[in-house]
Amino acid sequence: MADVSLKHIYKVYPNGTKAVNDFNMEIADKEFIVFVGPSGCGKSTTLRMIAGLEDISAGELKIGDTIVNDMEPKDRDIAMVFQNYALYPHMTVYENIAFGLRLRKLPKDEIHKKVVEAAEILGITEYLNKKPKEMSGGQRQRVALGRAIVREPKVMLLDEPLSNLDAKLRTQMRAEISKLHSKLNTTFIYVTHDQVEAMTMGTRIVVMKDGFVQQIDTPKNLYNYPANKFVAGFIGTPQMNFFEATLNKEGENVIIKFEYSNAQITVPYSMLYKAKPAYLDGKTKVYIGLRAEDISLLPEDIKNSKAVVKVKVSHKEELGSETLVYGDINMDGDGYAESSTRVIIKDYSGRDLKSGDIIDASLNIENIHLFDYENEQCVLPRIPEYNYLDCEIKNGKLCFAGCEIDLPEALKCNDLKGDLLLPTDALTLNGNLKAEVVSHESINGINLLALNMNGHRFYAVNLQYSEAGKTLNSSINIGIDFKKITVISDGKTVIAPLSELNKLNCKFVKRKEYEEVNVNGKIKRKKAIRFGFDVAGKFFQASEDMSQKIFAALGIKKAFTTPLNLECGIYDLAISDSGIPAKAEGYLDFGSERFLKCDVDGSEVYVKIDGEASDNIYLQPNFENVGVLDIEREIKII
């Protein structure tokens, strides 16, 4: 069996349409991965690129340890099951399953053994002598699965295999395919537009929209921690309720006022520690998300709740074990049209509600979701990117959260008051600041620590909890990686983070050279063709692997005419005796680290330095870690 690696995968058609944009994922051996999204999102195109039925415009696809970009589908050791079964009508079930094995010229007894085993696993032994027209849709789908599994592939690819079946058969076949995955112990990649299929089958789900990956996570995490409004609305039945609202912080509480209605609730500020302060000004509009089961009509819930709103009932749907009540928090709304005041409630109260009834509903504010009104990204991320704090710079010291720390020479500026954006990955161990460990959570392999400093809440993602202390409320010393912070005063960025990625304009070029070779004891000159990158007039030979990726992404002719960016991290660019000519422009001293600001043909780059440098220097990139970007199409080739 095998794992599957997709790195910076793109599919761009000749007219410029990007069907898949920068798809990155590591699929472990024996995982059941589901690609889900609306029509046209790029899920089937991605699957077809894995299968080899679509060319990859850029990126690297590996199955096991083998790069398969240019490998024929038959050589990739994969099997694919299609939506329309693709069975041969004139062949029996036995012949359909055996057909691929016969093409591979396996011995007859081995073919028979494999077909019988597959038929037993799928429960179609009694149909082996029948033809597809004599079978139901579910039985035909089993035959298509049988034809795939007899190959014993490294990876099974399934492209909407259940979409032609009725609801009952789909439910049955979902269970059959999950059972099959457990028996075969191989990697499954499954495409569907049905979020119920995705949630019930996948160990991890990839949600896609317009060619972009929106989120990759387990079904439970997608449901409970959606990364944006699209994922929140796509996952879950019925769809999540979305309301437009403003948040206004008053002391230790936040007042949530729902737009276009008189509804208003109050939540403790402790629930919104991870939210950017700008969202709490009472003016900035956000989307409030609440699932139907987080709104209750039960009398005891309403009695004990501090978040109750009025709802005007429009209609309801009786579903047996539960009732979906539709209504509106705007007393003039109709509850039918999808709007920012319509509400859907899963009701277990058994009340006999009628259209026009005005009732109380309690909101489970513990499960509230907040999304930015413009970009629709989650305002309360599970792993926050920044800590947002009031700060003051005075006499070369940064003052925040009741403490102060000396600013390094690179960040010295005039005295000011402003906002500090402190990335969660900028907090380090063993500094001069004291903090208390409040909580610890491991999220998808990332350790998230909540810290308390003088009554202020912080989050950190790069601190190992085992090092920080094994008991809560323990005290630890923390420091700050100053090259990552931002300080804003009067709407202007006074201190900006140091860019950790240098970009250099370059061209892919071909050079003719001569090399001396020994032929029968005589030294002769032989012509050689070298491919590489021209950066500011300096030639760097590309490896064969890099050259092949350039040609595969751009084509042989365009490879030499397309403008490129060479992307190189600040730790992967070094001062050398030869290389890219650069002009030194000054030092940035961050205390524990110093960087040299350089000019390379008008491009600003930074390089770590321990000593001193002359005005004119040479820079040498570490080509094992560089990236190459097609500037015109914004495609990362390497």
Side-chain angles (χ1 to χ4, degrees):
M1 305 309 141
D3 49 13
V4 180
S5 171
L6 299 98
K7 293 181 179 178
H8 303 296
I9 298 294
Y10 291 84
K11 179 61 183 180
V12 185
Y13 291 105
N15 64 0
T17 301
K18 286 184 183 178
V20 178
N21 288 268
D22 201 17
F23 191 109
N24 291 276
M25 189 179 187
E26 298 295 327
I27 301 173
D29 184 24
K30 301 177 185 177
E31 270 200 281
F32 196 130
I33 299 296
V34 180
F35 296 168
V36 67
S39 297
C41 71
K43 56 188 185 295
S44 289
T45 303
T46 305
L47 191 80
R48 290 172 65 82
M49 285 193 285
I50 296 172
L53 303 178
E54 288 272 4
D55 292 332
I56 297 173
S57 300
E60 180 182 272
L61 172 63
K62 290 173 72 174
I63 298 178
D65 297 323
T66 306
I67 297 174
V68 300
N69 288 48
D70 300 318
M71 192 178 286
E72 291 295 322
K74 64 183 178 63
D75 300 322
R76 296 190 181 196
D77 203 0
I78 55 98
M80 190 161 180
V81 179
F82 297 92
Q83 176 181 348
N84 60 0
Y85 317 140
L87 302 178
Y88 296 105
H90 62 287
M91 293 183 181
T92 64
V93 168
Y94 184 101
E95 291 167 337
N96 265 285
I97 296 174
F99 184 73
L101 302 178
R102 285 173 175 162
L103 288 180
R104 293 163 65 186
K105 298 182 179 179
L106 266 65
K108 284 186 178 181
D109 56 342
E110 186 176 345
I111 291 174
H112 180 73
K113 180 182 176 183
K114 286 179 179 289
V115 171
V116 171
E117 283 179 356
E120 287 175 353
I121 290 172
L122 295 166
I124 53 173
T125 305
E126 60 191 281
Y127 303 108
L128 287 176
N129 293 322
K130 291 188 175 183
K131 291 186 177 178
K133 66 181 180 181
E134 303 173 63
M135 306 175 73
S136 69
Q139 291 164 345
R140 290 180 208 171
Q141 191 62 75
R142 285 190 178 89
V143 176
L145 285 166
R147 186 175 53 191
I149 67 175
V150 291
R151 293 192 56 193
E152 298 178 358
K154 288 181 179 177
V155 184
M156 283 275 287
L157 307 177
L158 301 99
D159 190 5
E160 304 208 40
L162 309 183
S163 59
N164 291 336
L165 306 181
D166 60 47
K168 184 177 179 181
L169 262 180
R170 280 204 303 272
T171 302
Q172 181 183 341
M173 285 303 298
R174 284 204 306 265
E176 293 290 340
I177 291 174
S178 296
K179 185 168 121 183
L180 181 62
H181 173 252
S182 299
K183 282 186 178 180
L184 296 181
N185 273 327
T186 190
T187 306
F188 273 44
I189 304 177
Y190 187 103
V191 162
T192 180
H193 63 274
D194 186 340
Q195 56 98 5
V196 175
E197 280 183 23
M199 295 289 284
T200 54
M201 299 174 74
T203 52
R204 283 193 298 161
I205 299 172
V206 182
V207 183
M208 298 184 69
K209 177 190 178 188
D210 298 332
F212 290 92
V213 173
Q214 302 296 307
Q215 190 173 351
I216 302 175
D217 217 324
T218 62
K220 185 176 181 180
N221 284 342
L222 281 177
Y223 190 81
N224 292 327
Y225 308 105
N228 55 47
K229 183 172 177 276
F230 173 78
V231 175
F234 192 83
I235 299 296
T237 303
Q239 178 180 293
M240 181 183 284
N241 296 292
F242 295 109
F243 310 101
E244 295 177 30
T246 56
L247 315 175
N248 189 19
K249 183 178 182 295
E250 292 186 358
E252 292 305 310
N253 291 317
V254 176
I255 297 171
I256 300 178
K257 186 180 184 308
F258 294 83
E259 297 285 291
Y260 318 114
S261 77
N262 294 322
Q264 180 175 298
I265 62 173
T266 300
V267 302
Y269 173 57
S270 58
M271 287 182 54
L272 305 178
Y273 277 144
K274 296 178 182 179
K276 185 177 178 180
Y279 291 107
L280 308 177
D281 62 0
K283 300 175 184 177
T284 304
K285 195 182 290 188
V286 298
Y287 284 109
I288 301 284
L290 276 168
R291 296 202 180 275
E293 61 268 29
D294 291 320
I295 305 175
S296 175
L297 301 182
L298 293 170
E300 58 268 33
D301 289 341
I302 294 169
K303 181 180 177 181
N304 297 323
S305 175
K306 294 181 179 179
V308 177
V309 297
K310 295 285 184 185
V311 175
K312 180 183 177 183
V313 176
S314 60
H315 61 291
K316 60 184 180 180
E317 294 176 352
E318 300 283 359
L319 302 176
S321 62
E322 64 188 21
T323 300
L324 293 183
V325 175
Y326 291 76
D328 212 297
I329 60 173
N330 180 348
M331 297 302 106
D332 295 323
D334 66 3
Y336 287 92
E338 188 173 328
S339 70
S340 61
T341 56
R342 187 188 73 166
V343 60
I344 306 173
I345 305 167
K346 279 189 179 179
D347 180 32
Y348 303 95
S349 68
R351 295 170 61 182
D352 184 20
L353 298 173
K354 296 180 177 59
S355 177
D357 286 352
I358 296 176
I359 58 175
D360 286 333
S362 70
L363 311 181
N364 182 359
I365 56 176
E366 294 293 329
N367 292 337
I368 201 168
H369 300 268
L370 300 180
F371 304 98
D372 184 283
Y373 187 73
E374 299 296 333
N375 61 32
E376 299 187 351
Q377 295 301 304
C378 182
V379 172
L380 288 175
R382 199 175 180 198
I383 302 177
E385 185 178 359
Y386 291 100
N387 297 290
Y388 300 94
L389 302 156
D390 294 333
C391 73
E392 182 178 1
I393 294 177
K394 191 173 182 180
N395 299 325
K397 295 181 182 293
L398 176 65
C399 309
F400 65 98
C403 64
E404 63 179 34
I405 188 170
D406 290 327
L407 280 172
E409 194 63 37
L411 303 184
K412 290 291 175 68
C413 61
N414 295 329
D415 291 355
L416 58 84
K417 290 185 178 180
D419 300 311
L420 170 64
L421 276 64
L422 179 62
T424 50
D425 66 353
L427 291 169
T428 62
L429 284 173
N430 304 320
N432 298 322
L433 304 175
K434 291 282 187 184
E436 183 183 86
V437 178
V438 177
S439 66
H440 168 256
E441 188 178 6
S442 181
I443 303 169
N444 296 333
I446 297 174
N447 287 320
L448 177 67
L449 242 62
L451 306 172
N452 180 26
M453 186 188 297
N454 300 322
H456 295 267
R457 181 65 59 92
F458 288 80
Y459 292 94
V461 295
N462 66 342
L463 304 184
Q464 295 300 316
Y465 187 54
S466 58
E467 298 175 41
K470 293 186 178 180
T471 59
L472 297 182
N473 304 317
S474 60
S475 181
I476 61 172
N477 292 323
I478 61 172
I480 295 175
D481 184 349
F482 280 105
K483 68 178 183 292
K484 295 183 177 182
I485 72 168
T486 301
V487 174
I488 299 172
S489 180
D490 294 329
K492 296 180 180 179
T493 300
V494 180
I495 294 175
L498 177 69
S499 174
E500 297 192 21
L501 186 66
N502 295 308
K503 290 190 177 184
L504 298 165
N505 294 325
C506 70
K507 295 182 293 186
F508 191 68
V509 296
K510 176 174 66 174
R511 286 180 57 170
K512 296 178 182 178
E513 296 181 349
Y514 288 90
E515 58 184 7
E516 293 183 345
V517 295
N518 190 321
V519 180
N520 298 325
K522 294 183 180 180
I523 302 299
K524 292 188 176 183
R525 294 185 73 203
K526 181 182 177 183
K527 187 164 65 174
I529 302 295
R530 313 282 188 208
F531 298 109
F533 302 98
D534 182 322
V535 186
K538 175 66 179 177
F539 176 78
F540 295 93
Q541 185 170 334
S543 66
E544 184 178 347
D545 178 54
M546 294 178 83
S547 298
Q548 290 302 319
K549 287 179 180 178
I550 295 285
F551 289 133
L554 301 174
I556 294 176
K557 288 185 178 180
K558 283 192 173 182
F560 303 111
T561 59
T562 301
L564 305 172
N565 267 158
L566 190 73
E567 298 181 332
C568 186
I570 55 177
Y571 297 106
D572 291 310
L573 196 61
I575 297 173
S576 179
D577 295 332
S578 62
I580 303 167
K583 183 177 178 59
E585 295 190 333
Y587 297 93
L588 294 177
D589 190 343
F590 288 94
S592 59
E593 295 178 303
R594 290 174 78 232
F595 294 88
L596 184 64
K597 179 182 176 182
C598 306
D599 177 82
V600 177
D601 258 7
S603 296
E604 188 178 280
V605 300
Y606 296 90
V607 57
K608 189 175 184 299
I609 187 170
D610 295 321
E612 302 297 322
S614 59
D615 291 342
N616 297 301
I617 58 173
Y618 296 97
L619 303 175
Q620 187 74 35
N622 176 5
F623 273 87
E624 289 186 3
N625 294 329
V626 300
V628 177
L629 181 74
D630 174 350
I631 299 173
E632 292 178 346
R633 296 187 297 170
E634 295 183 344
I635 288 179
K636 195 158 189 175
I637 300 171
I638 297 171

